[in-house]
Amino acid sequence: MARRNQQSFVCQNCGAAYNRWQGKCDSCGEWNTLTEESAGGVQAAPIPGRPARKGRVFALEPLTGDTHEAPRLPSGIAELDRVIGGGFVRGSVLLVGGDPGIGKSTLLVQAAALLSGAGHRTVYISGEEAVAQVRLRAERLDLAHMPVELAAETSIEDIIATLSHGKIPRLIIIDSIQTMWTDSIDSAPGTVTQVRGSAQALIRFAKRAGCAVILVGHVTKDGQIAGPRVVEHMVDAVLSFEGDGAHQFRILRAVKNRFGPTDEIGVFEMTGAGLREVANPSELFLSERDLGSPGTAVFAGIEGTRPLLVEIQALAAPTSLGTPRRAVVGWDSSRLAMVLAVLEAHCGVRLSGHDVYLNVAGGLRIQEPAADLAAAAALVSSLANAPLPADAVYFGEVSLSGAVRPVPQAAARLKEAAKLGFARAVVPDAARSDATAEPAMALSTIRSLADLVSDIAAKGKPRGNQPVRFREDG
Ligand code: TYD
Ligand code: MG
């Protein structure tokens, strides 16, 4: 009797497997993401009839011993090299994830072209586009003369056979992992099992051949195709390429990196001729500032080792709804809720009758708690109709008690602000000692958020028949 191939239902979003179909994945909470897949090829259960293999004895090593720095292959794109930690590591696999259309293929064609120009054999395998389409893109980028080797292929076995033939390439780009399929698994391409199986085969090849492999993965919101998350744990580094359609800025961020830092970002600008590196992002993010209007504050942030100045915009407008709206773009909405609660509880600022909108200019996403003070300043400035000084920057973390707490790398933040022509900084009290490092900056140190609120409210102009009236409770 033929043994029925065992079937299971696998969530295409997170990879959790179930015995029977269900509407919602218990593991990640997504709906309609379960697809039937055969478990053949991924299960490690012993095959009936085959004798169990006796294990081979291997040598165990001490922790000390000869080590050498992983050999790196710089791409020549400084912003990319910064994020990956100095260059591609030989024998490693890098996953680049991002929304469709964000510019992953563009970035990787540019990197491949530069590397091939430097004399390294570089292969670009496209599973999504025909060779002619990749050529058209290269022409648009003015890189068509570069010796990159191209193919439009999706079979992992064919790809590995081709790549093992002749001189092993230094860099291989697989665009995208979701279009690849391997014979050893009989699920449809794009399913979790196929994506994992294909990635596994490529990872084995990279380690064996000692070449760097880049996998492109589309982030999928509807969970119809397995997202890059299902291979994140297998690869050496995961980069995420972010940005939104409304802005030309693109941010490359390391999410995981076995060979380098994970807090660095690379900033690019999408132009008609491909991605352009942005060496001084602060200048770019502040280039369209709306000077002299209430509700904007400049935040002196740090991304990795690099200071980055951005404008935070806020609008507090009287609401007509029972439950006022809170909308935030580029920042954490729970941090906004916390800042609003602290303003209400400790600073006498009533916001329950106002809709609140917060936006980080330029499409950047900020994760640092140090942005609390700048967000609060922008909010209070909007509410009090009091423009903040155009030459001031803000940073500091706000605690639930209303105190303003110190943040790391204050000196680097002040230095960047001074370099861009800012003359004053509103900072936590503890940053006073850093003032000596930057004599050009006038510091106003504050201990609590209430100090900031009363400073701003004192300069406020009543809007219409609404007087500025904070601290009504005391
Ligand atoms: P692409 O690299 O194909 O995105 P992905 O691989 O992430 O899906 O880039 C898609 C967008 O980039 C497309 O909308 C056109 C735009 N683009 C430019 O603006 N300038 C360029 O030079 C190129 C090649 C693309
Ligand atoms: Mg693409």
Side-chain angles (χ1 to χ4, degrees):
M1 195 181 80
R3 210 167 69 92
R4 198 177 150 265
N5 212 353
Q6 202 174 352
Q7 297 289 308
S8 66
F9 294 85
V10 181
C11 172
Q12 303 298 302
N13 186 51
C14 70
Y18 300 88
N19 285 334
R20 63 171 71 97
W21 190 84
Q22 56 194 58
K24 185 182 178 188
C25 172
D26 293 336
S27 167
C28 67
E30 290 289 321
W31 286 89
N32 281 329
T33 55
L34 263 57
T35 313
E36 187 171 11
E37 289 184 21
S38 80
V42 284
Q43 239 164 28
I47 297 160
R50 189 189 285 183
R53 190 176 73 94
K54 196 149 176 278
R56 177 180 59 88
V57 176
F58 54 84
L60 298 168
E61 307 260 353
L63 211 47
T64 55
D66 279 353
T67 53
H68 30 82
E69 185 57 22
R72 296 218 179 238
L73 197 60
S75 67
I77 302 178
E79 293 292 300
L80 173 62
D81 287 339
R82 178 210 311 282
V83 177
I84 54 186
F88 301 114
V89 177
R90 291 178 59 183
S92 78
V93 179
L94 180 77
L95 174 72
V96 179
D99 290 333
I102 203 77
K104 301 180 292 300
S105 304
T106 308
L107 177 69
L108 295 177
V109 166
Q110 288 183 253
L114 275 178
L115 217 55
S116 69
H120 302 290
R121 184 177 176 214
T122 309
V123 176
Y124 187 102
I125 310 267
S126 174
E128 288 182 349
E129 293 164 303
V131 168
Q133 275 173 295
V134 182
R135 278 199 189 124
L136 270 178
R137 182 185 286 117
E139 260 163 44
R140 182 172 175 185
L141 301 172
D142 199 18
L143 295 170
H145 55 283
M146 292 301 209
V148 179
E149 292 167 60
L150 279 185
E153 279 298 333
T154 53
S155 158
I156 288 292
E157 280 74 21
D158 294 353
I159 291 171
I160 290 181
T162 310
L163 295 177
S164 315
H165 198 72
K167 188 167 171 250
I168 299 285
R170 280 295 182 79
L171 179 72
I172 298 157
I173 293 164
I174 305 287
D175 187 3
S176 65
I177 188 65
Q178 279 121 334
T179 53
M180 298 293 144
W181 61 279
T182 158
D183 289 338
S184 58
I185 292 167
D186 59 0
S187 307
T191 55
V192 168
T193 339
Q194 274 291 2
V195 168
R196 277 198 190 142
S198 306
Q200 203 111 56
L202 288 165
I203 291 167
R204 265 200 309 270
F205 173 75
K207 307 273 173 221
R208 196 178 64 225
C211 55
V213 173
I214 304 182
L215 308 177
V216 174
H218 292 297
V219 172
T220 52
K221 290 199 177 67
D222 56 358
Q224 288 307 301
I225 325 171
R229 270 172 56 191
V230 301
V231 292
E232 272 183 8
H233 63 282
M234 307 196 301
V235 297
D236 297 301
V238 180
L239 306 186
S240 129
F241 205 31
E242 302 162 359
D244 59 38
H247 295 100
Q248 70 274 39
F249 313 129
R250 301 283 183 270
I251 312 281
L252 188 67
R253 205 183 277 279
V255 180
K256 156 182 172 177
N257 197 346
R258 286 187 184 148
F259 305 110
T262 53
D263 51 2
E264 292 286 358
I265 64 166
V267 184
F268 296 89
E269 188 181 3
M270 183 60 102
T271 68
L275 289 158
R276 194 178 66 79
E277 292 180 63
V278 177
N280 193 341
S282 299
E283 259 166 30
L284 188 77
F285 285 115
L286 294 178
S287 61
E288 287 157 16
R289 271 183 79 197
D290 194 4
L291 295 174
S293 56
T296 67
V298 175
F299 166 51
I302 295 273
E303 289 285 351
T305 53
R306 183 161 59 164
L308 182 60
L309 266 55
V310 289
E311 185 184 68
I312 296 189
Q313 307 165 341
L315 175 66
T319 185
S320 54
L321 306 166
T323 315
R325 274 196 70 136
R326 270 84 178 95
V328 41
V329 179
W331 202 43
D332 190 4
S333 55
S334 49
R335 284 213 84 84
L336 172 66
M338 191 204 78
V339 168
L340 293 179
V342 172
L343 283 172
E344 292 233 357
H346 297 293
C347 312
V349 179
R350 297 269 163 269
L351 284 154
S352 48
H354 287 79
D355 288 334
V356 171
Y357 303 91
L358 195 89
N359 178 38
V360 177
L364 190 73
R365 193 161 51 81
I366 301 180
Q367 283 158 336
E368 264 193 298
D372 292 353
L373 192 64
L379 264 167
V380 175
S381 152
S382 168
L383 195 66
N385 197 22
L388 300 172
D391 59 353
V393 296
Y394 296 78
F395 61 85
E397 182 178 347
V398 173
S399 74
L400 286 178
S401 65
V404 177
R405 305 184 25 167
V407 296
Q409 304 191 50
R413 298 171 201 264
L414 292 172
K415 193 162 171 234
E416 174 82 355
K419 200 170 90 191
L420 288 167
F422 287 86
R424 32 185 155 168
V426 180
V427 298
D429 203 26
R432 192 186 294 278
S433 56
D434 294 300
T436 45
E438 214 44 69
M441 297 291 279
L443 291 203
S444 64
T445 56
I446 52 171
R447 285 173 191 278
S448 74
L449 196 53
D451 296 348
L452 176 81
V453 171
S454 46
D455 274 5
I456 299 174
K459 300 192 189 82
K461 295 186 278 292
R463 189 191 279 139
N465 55 359
Q466 265 195 311
V468 181
R469 195 161 42 84
F470 298 142
R471 291 248 145 224
E472 54 210 72
D473 53 347

